Amino acid sequence: MKHLLKMLDLTTEEIIDLLNLADQLKYELKHGIEHYHLRGKTLGMIFEKSSTRTRVSFETGMYQLGGHALFLSSKDLQIGRGEAVQDTARVLSRYLDGIMIRTFEQSEVEALVEYGSIPIINGLTDFSHPCQILADLMTIREYKGTLEGLKMCFIGDGNNMMNSLIVGCLKTGMQVAVACPEGYRPPQVILDFAAEYGDKFFMTDKLMEAAVDADVVITDVWTSMGQEEERAAREAAFAGYQINAELMAKAHSDALVLHCLPAHRGEEITADVFEAHAAEIFDEAENRLHAQKAVLVRTMKG
């Protein structure tokens, strides 16, 4: 695997390989077993969107793998002041062994691949969030022992999280049900992909229908970074699209609840449901570290 750009690019076999390696790296960390797969390697981390979990997990992960991570904000790069992305890609390819970028446009990630010569990892774009979905799948498998045949329900926006969950869950043998308002559905490329799986995919604007017999229920904030100007309209559109006790009663009694964080209690999830499922939510957050280390090894080890 040369790059990680979006879940659509990964085969089922590659996803399972990453999850298996993530499990191994987590075990080795917990048992004090050194795993310096990237000794002497340097990862450049470009942040055009701010982050807590992405920065800390990638920086810590590179350290644990024996490498070094270099934080680069838009203020630190000429790319933030008009330098062409193709020139930035060529220059950084002379200095670094890999790039992780957290940005807005998927096209910017793709341009780094086109003009650079080192591995590129998508830390988040408006279209895709592959690192988070790998952590989600890892967490589900830890708790449930398998992915095949489980039902995942996502409640909320047809955003990067829904896009990537649809793809990742379907590719690993899960059933997928999503509930979102009419004007906030995933892009056509995702719906076309999901259509290939027939009745394993279900989309509705009725969240209670989506939650029936779910093994895992997932949500995200109603308003992400870059959408603050739309906050009032989005809050009106998503009113009622909430994980609460009534909705959880439709799912299996042992259903997991996941949230990529940060969570807005009282909006997309109630405080009582969040706290009842805090164990798996924060295991999910921790698993960003292990899943991303697997991605780093597979893309940068060479």
Side-chain angles (χ1 to χ4, degrees), residues 1-19:
M1 188 176 76
K2 177 65 174 175
H3 310 285
L4 178 61
L5 307 183
K6 54 187 180 295
M7 293 302 295
L8 284 167
D9 296 335
L10 294 177
T11 65
T12 298
E13 292 73 23
E14 286 173 327
I15 294 172
I16 298 303
D17 174 68
L18 287 168
L19 297 181

Side-chain angles (χ1 to χ4, degrees), residues 128-148:
S128 187
H129 200 354
C131 292
Q132 179 65 57
I133 272 54
L134 290 171
D136 292 354
L137 294 173
M138 180 182 179
T139 307
I140 296 166
R141 197 171 71 161
E142 280 182 344
Y143 275 81
K144 296 295 186 180
T146 187
L147 296 171
E148 184 78 31

